[in-house]
Amino acid sequence: MVHFSAINFSYPNSWYISLPFASHASAITVPDTPVLINDFCVIHAKIEELARTQDEVIPKNILEQFERRLKQWKEDDKKYVCTAAEKQVRKCILTRSSVTIVGNSGTGKSFLSRHVALTMMELGYIIIPCDNPGDIRQWFKHGRKTVFVFDDVCGRYTLNQQIFNEWTQRLEHIQSLLEDSCCKIMSTCRLDVYKNEQLNSLSIFKTCTIDLSSEEFRLNTAEKFALAEVYFQDNADKVAELSEKYDFFPLLCSLYHKQKLQKHVNIEDFFTNPFVVFENELVELYRVGKAGKINYCSLVLCVMFNNTLTEENFSTKDKEMAAVIDDLLEECELKKGTPIKSLKKSLDTLDGTYVVKEDSTYKIIHDKLFDILAKNFGEKMIQFFIDHAKTDFISERFLWKTADMGTEIEFAIRIPDNKINRYIERLLKDWENGFVDKVLTNRNMKSSSFTETFINNINKLDHSKQEDLAGTQDINSKGIALGESSYVGSVDLVRWLISRKSSINHCTKDHCKGRTC
């Protein structure tokens, strides 16, 4: 186990730009435990020099954003436990240009990638946390040792078509950048997303894969016990015995600790059925008076925004946001007019338990917890979520009928029959507003009964409105519904669109690359 906490970091503006000990990864021998640098004053001086001479490509304000993220990574890393998977990832990242860590939600993918990234700093690499493929082109510098770190590289819950398309469009250029041996990509991906056939075309994520859910790299008995010791000390034996039921054991340990559940939740109850525990926690949160309901409201808001809620969203000048919050306050039995700042303050108090703040964006602390909250809130407030949730959330999280889809989907929000028309109205609104690709890649489109109902609802619109929809361009790809419907294989929709004079010669902004137009 690596004890980074032994170093007295004061986190200057560019502390994570480490010294270039070797110019090529192939020249590095991997030690069992990464070498730690103790003379922080010397490092700080070198960092300032590097920031002046080598990193003009990255503005100071962006460096500060990276610093805040990496500072949190280092804090979380204090509870890291060495595993066989870590040794394999460290070995691969030094010899390969791209490494993908896959596994089910909660198995420790992000924790592992961030830990390895921190050890790479000690070998002279700059670590750049990334949000989209364009970050590579923007922050790449030839000859500079850089690791670009991506979480949920092609979507958090399902394959995100927009992100996938962007990777597809940039793939050739990114591959050319990876020819520079100093440039590396380390990414995480949910196993379900990784298995999507579309991802096979993104070869950079298939060349070197470590699957944390596999027999080879899942936590063994000794590793689970070591993890239990870190979090539970005297109760380690008991916790280790309960570790077999769920493969997201690392997440359960972390959440039990961060949410201070040990004060009122029995260890055995938690590890036997954590979902019931979290549901009960939400019920109790709602019951503890006005302050509890405000906390509950703020979590709903964070989920509804699909982890994209920013400080700017709390602006009192945003009339649309104010209307959403009024509806939310009514749902939560709070008086309209409750100051919007109280919701923001609530999220700040929940930071570290339910919420984490990255730069100016509030996010639920882990994807698995987000899944639990999304299903809980979404089904209790289904009309509110249908009306107000972000388009990505609408596309990914709701399911009507699964009988003809061939699989059961975990944590999906079930749409009752009496809400399906309301849901389709929301999709048509999104379509009209230019979110064409999101609507046509909605997971319900795989269901023949849904597409039939969807088309029936469109046919109730004025004929001119139908033709307008058929010709509406997506705000990002500039494609129209016919191209996306052809691509995903929605035969009935393709027929309908052609009957509404949709142009078969329309091209997207990337000239129909990868599309049937």
Side-chain angles (χ1 to χ4, degrees):
M1 179 176 177
V2 183
H3 296 284
F4 286 97
S5 56
I7 305 175
N8 182 25
F9 281 106
S10 57
Y11 302 115
N13 282 345
S14 303
W15 64 266
Y16 49 89
I17 302 176
S18 303
L19 309 186
F21 296 130
S23 59
H24 296 288
S26 58
I28 299 171
T29 301
V30 187
D32 287 338
T33 302
V35 178
L36 298 180
I37 304 171
N38 294 312
D39 192 349
F40 184 67
C41 293
V42 173
I43 295 174
H44 185 30
K46 289 291 184 182
I47 285 170
E48 289 184 332
E49 179 184 350
L50 284 168
R52 288 194 302 271
T53 61
Q54 293 191 7
D55 286 294
E56 68 281 357
V57 71
I58 307 178
K60 183 180 179 181
N61 66 310
I62 302 299
L63 286 172
E64 289 172 350
Q65 290 178 24
F66 294 163
E67 177 195 355
R68 284 193 290 271
R69 289 201 200 181
L70 292 167
K71 183 178 179 180
Q72 184 60 53
W73 292 9
K74 186 163 283 292
E75 180 63 30
D76 292 341
D77 199 68
K78 291 176 182 178
K79 290 190 176 297
Y80 186 80
V81 170
C82 183
T83 65
E86 177 215 334
K87 293 176 182 177
Q88 183 66 16
V89 173
R90 283 175 50 211
K91 177 181 177 181
C92 290
I93 196 64
L94 290 174
T95 57
R96 303 292 188 94
S97 59
S98 177
V99 175
T100 309
I101 304 170
V102 305
N104 293 324
S105 177
T107 51
K109 301 183 297 296
S110 298
F111 202 15
L112 173 56
S113 71
R114 293 167 184 178
H115 171 77
V116 172
L118 291 172
T119 68
M120 292 294 284
M121 287 165 39
E122 305 298 335
L123 298 176
Y125 283 84
I126 293 173
I127 307 304
I128 299 185
C130 299
D131 295 315
N132 61 74
D135 290 344
I136 298 176
R137 179 196 62 78
Q138 188 168 14
W139 309 128
F140 171 83
K141 186 172 182 180
H142 181 72
R144 184 183 63 190
K145 297 168 68 176
T146 310
V147 181
F148 295 95
V149 182
F150 289 86
D151 255 347
D152 298 307
V153 71
C154 269
R156 288 190 296 116
Y157 187 57
T158 61
L159 185 136
N160 184 302
Q161 199 66 47
Q162 183 179 326
I163 296 174
F164 172 79
N165 290 346
E166 188 172 353
W167 277 110
T168 300
Q169 292 161 19
R170 296 180 182 272
L171 182 61
E172 192 173 322
H173 182 231
I174 290 172
Q175 286 175 322
S176 71
L177 298 181
L178 289 175
E179 291 177 4
D180 182 338
S181 61
C182 293
C183 178
K184 298 180 182 293
I185 297 173
M186 184 161 55
S187 51
T188 69
C189 187
R190 271 198 185 189
L191 194 56
D192 287 347
V193 175
Y194 188 77
K195 288 179 178 179
N196 190 302
E197 289 183 1
Q198 286 183 262
L199 209 64
N200 291 334
S201 63
L202 299 180
S203 56
I204 58 174
F205 302 124
K206 296 288 182 174
T207 55
C208 183
T209 304
I210 291 89
D211 181 359
L212 301 191
S213 297
S214 68
E215 191 69 34
E216 183 178 6
F217 293 118
R218 68 179 56 170
L219 293 181
N220 59 37
T221 302
E223 290 166 349
K224 287 179 180 177
F225 182 77
L227 190 61
E229 274 193 314
V230 168
Y231 284 99
F232 298 95
Q233 290 87 38
D234 295 340
N235 291 311
D237 286 323
K238 186 176 183 180
V239 172
E241 289 175 9
L242 297 166
S243 67
E244 297 300 323
K245 187 168 184 180
Y246 300 104
D247 65 352
F248 50 92
F249 178 68
L251 172 64
L252 292 178
C253 292
S254 175
L255 290 180
Y256 191 88
H257 171 76
K258 287 184 175 181
Q259 298 195 6
K260 300 178 175 61
L261 296 177
Q262 63 270 26
K263 293 181 178 180
H264 59 282
V265 177
N266 178 274
I267 287 176
E268 189 168 351
D269 290 342
F270 179 74
F271 282 91
T272 301
N273 201 333
F275 307 118
V276 170
V277 170
F278 283 120
E279 287 171 4
N280 291 339
E281 288 292 300
L282 293 174
V283 170
E284 289 303 313
L285 185 65
Y286 192 83
R287 285 178 177 170
V288 293
K290 182 179 178 181
K293 287 183 178 178
I294 289 176
N295 285 344
Y296 188 93
C297 263
S298 65
L299 289 176
V300 172
L301 202 61
C302 198
V303 170
M304 189 201 77
F305 269 76
N306 208 29
N307 270 353
T308 64
L309 183 65
T310 67
E311 290 180 333
E312 291 181 6
N313 291 129
F314 289 100
S315 168
T316 54
K317 297 177 182 179
D318 189 337
K319 292 182 179 179
E320 185 177 345
M321 180 67 168
V324 170
I325 289 180
D326 278 347
D327 286 352
L328 176 58
L329 292 172
E330 187 175 346
E331 285 279 348
C332 295
E333 302 176 302
L334 288 166
K335 290 181 180 179
K336 286 186 178 182
T338 298
I340 192 171
K341 290 182 179 179
S342 64
L343 293 173
K344 180 181 179 299
K345 185 177 180 181
S346 169
L347 285 172
D348 290 332
T349 63
L350 292 170
D351 192 0
T353 54
Y354 280 95
V355 173
V356 62
K357 188 178 180 183
E358 292 184 358
D359 300 329
S360 64
T361 302
Y362 295 96
K363 299 180 178 181
I364 301 301
I365 203 163
H366 192 277
D367 289 347
K368 179 68 75 174
L369 183 57
F370 185 95
D371 291 343
I372 295 169
L373 296 180
K375 182 173 178 62
N376 187 286
F377 295 149
E379 292 187 346
K380 285 182 178 178
M381 306 180 181
I382 189 161
Q383 186 161 311
F384 174 79
F385 270 80
I386 287 174
D387 290 346
H388 298 302
K390 285 286 186 178
T391 303
D392 282 353
F393 190 96
I394 293 291
S395 177
E396 296 174 348
R397 296 276 169 177
F398 286 88
L399 272 184
W400 184 31
K401 295 178 179 178
T402 58
D404 57 349
M405 295 179 69
T407 184
E408 186 71 17
I409 299 172
E410 192 178 28
F411 297 112
I413 300 168
R414 301 297 174 187
I415 308 171
D417 289 346
N418 65 347
K419 296 294 182 184
I420 190 59
N421 289 333
R422 184 93 175 206
Y423 182 73
I424 290 174
E425 285 176 14
R426 168 60 196 271
L427 295 186
L428 294 177
K429 180 181 177 182
D430 287 343
W431 188 347
E432 183 180 3
N433 289 335
F435 297 102
V436 182
D437 293 351
K438 295 293 183 188
V439 172
L440 275 299
T441 56
N442 185 299
R443 64 192 321 165
N444 288 284
M445 293 296 183
K446 297 176 183 177
S447 162
S448 57
S449 58
F450 179 84
T451 54
E452 180 182 350
T453 306
F454 185 72
I455 292 170
N456 288 340
N457 275 260
I458 304 177
N459 284 332
K460 294 175 184 177
L461 302 174
D462 290 341
H463 196 80
S464 60
K465 182 72 171 178
Q466 296 177 37
E467 291 188 355
D468 286 345
L469 285 173
T472 299
Q473 292 188 12
D474 185 84
I475 58 174
N476 294 303
S477 71
K478 305 305 178 186
I480 59 175
L482 182 59
E484 198 63 50
S485 296
S486 302
Y487 186 67
V488 300
S490 300
V491 176
D492 291 338
L493 271 172
V494 168
R495 287 173 179 160
W496 183 87
L497 288 161
I498 292 174
S499 74
R500 296 305 183 270
K501 301 179 182 179
S502 185
S503 173
I504 62 173
N505 296 315
H506 181 85
C507 281
T508 61
K509 66 180 180 182
D510 61 328
H511 307 297
C512 305
K513 183 178 181 180
R515 287 288 187 270
T516 302
C517 296

